[in-house]
Amino acid sequence: NMSFSEWSQDGKVWQPWGEGQEPYWDSGNKGAVTVGDSNVQPTTVTSTGTGRGALLKTENKVLKLAAGSLFTGRYVATDGTNGVLSFGRPFTQRPTRLRGYLKYKSAPISHSSEASMRYMIGQPDTCVVWCALIDCNDPIEIRTKASNRQLFDENASYVVAYGRIQYGETIPDFIPFEFELNYRSTSRVPKYIIIVSSSSKYGDYFTGGDGSELYIDDYELLYDY
């Protein structure tokens, strides 16, 4: 579902896979709907003007800010108002680049649960898309609760390749983007692929701009060899 055209709904939870299909992508919607609506949704605003893509929204959910995120993996559990996620889906190929389309509305950063990041309030929010190939035995568990926070480390020993792109300004119309995956080793065979898109780069720290919106469409892995 790299085109993000297949969706289904379970109550208020929008799911990035079609009815009866095997999930590959997931979002933080199961946590977001505990205090509101899904902030990752299908949209007919696409790069081609046809079909559907994904809209990721950063919203103040009363208790704290929630950034829209879409990732390969699954949402595991809600711990209070925090998410427990599993990043990664089985994958053994060696792509060289990730390509896609996006547009972005950057709202001023309005909230932060992290004291060390409150200096950013008022600055433009930043969206991010990143991809990693990893060779650990299991997907990566992500926890956003401050007391036992565990986030992805791009410099960890299990990372075979990594790439990222980010924009800290409004992009009013769809643009193509493309970034290289930088390999630390070409002999190691990856076991999982992680692709993450977020409407607020620091959403894991509940920091971002209420009203930021990231539209994504038609992702594609490239193999230049």
Side-chain angles (χ1 to χ4, degrees):
N1 197 22
M2 296 277 273
S3 65
F4 310 115
S5 57
E6 302 294 330
W7 295 82
S8 56
Q9 207 167 4
D10 181 7
K12 295 196 298 181
V13 179
W14 276 107
Q15 302 170 145
W17 62 86
E19 197 70 45
Q21 293 182 349
E22 188 72 21
Y24 199 81
W25 299 84
D26 210 343
S27 72
N29 281 344
K30 288 180 182 176
V33 299
T34 60
V35 288
D37 295 320
S38 294
N39 62 344
V40 175
Q41 304 172 359
T43 177
T44 56
V45 179
T46 65
S47 58
T48 61
T50 61
R52 295 199 290 185
L55 168 58
L56 288 55
K57 300 188 288 186
T58 298
E59 297 176 328
N60 180 20
K61 295 288 188 178
V62 183
L63 297 175
K64 61 176 61 174
L65 192 84
S69 64
L70 191 62
F71 55 90
T72 55
R74 62 189 181 93
Y75 189 96
V76 177
T78 302
D79 181 5
T81 58
N82 303 275
V84 180
L85 316 175
S86 174
F87 273 7
R89 290 291 188 180
F91 190 86
T92 57
Q93 301 175 34
R94 294 187 182 92
T96 55
R97 289 179 289 158
L98 177 69
R99 182 164 65 191
Y101 294 86
L102 64 78
K103 63 179 285 189
Y104 186 52
K105 173 186 161 187
S106 172
I109 292 175
S110 54
H111 296 74
S112 179
S113 297
E114 200 76 13
S116 63
M117 294 184 173
R118 288 180 188 147
Y119 74 93
M120 293 191 290
I121 290 178
Q123 297 180 13
D125 205 355
T126 297
C127 68
V128 65
V129 180
W130 60 268
C131 176
L133 303 174
I134 59 174
D135 70 351
C136 45
N137 291 327
D138 298 293
I140 304 298
E141 183 176 272
I142 303 296
R143 299 189 298 268
T144 60
K145 189 174 183 178
S147 60
N148 66 343
R149 182 177 286 142
Q150 178 172 288
L151 304 178
F152 181 79
D153 178 7
E154 65 185 80
N155 298 309
S157 60
Y158 54 72
V159 176
V160 176
Y162 179 83
R164 179 181 68 197
I165 198 166
Q166 62 187 45
Y167 295 95
E169 59 193 11
T170 292
I171 302 169
D173 299 305
F174 274 97
I175 61 168
F177 73 84
E178 192 173 294
F179 60 81
E180 288 190 17
L181 295 175
N182 298 306
Y183 279 77
R184 286 86 190 268
S185 168
T186 55
S187 60
R188 291 162 65 189
V189 178
K191 294 177 181 174
Y192 297 94
I193 186 169
I194 305 171
I195 303 174
V196 177
S197 306
S198 178
S199 53
S200 294
K201 178 182 177 181
Y202 297 108
D204 289 335
Y205 299 95
F206 306 103
T207 298
D210 185 17
S212 290
E213 296 182 346
L214 175 62
Y215 294 80
I216 57 175
D217 197 18
D218 287 340
Y219 282 11
E220 180 184 6
L221 292 167
L222 304 177
Y223 298 80
D224 299 327
Y225 52 80

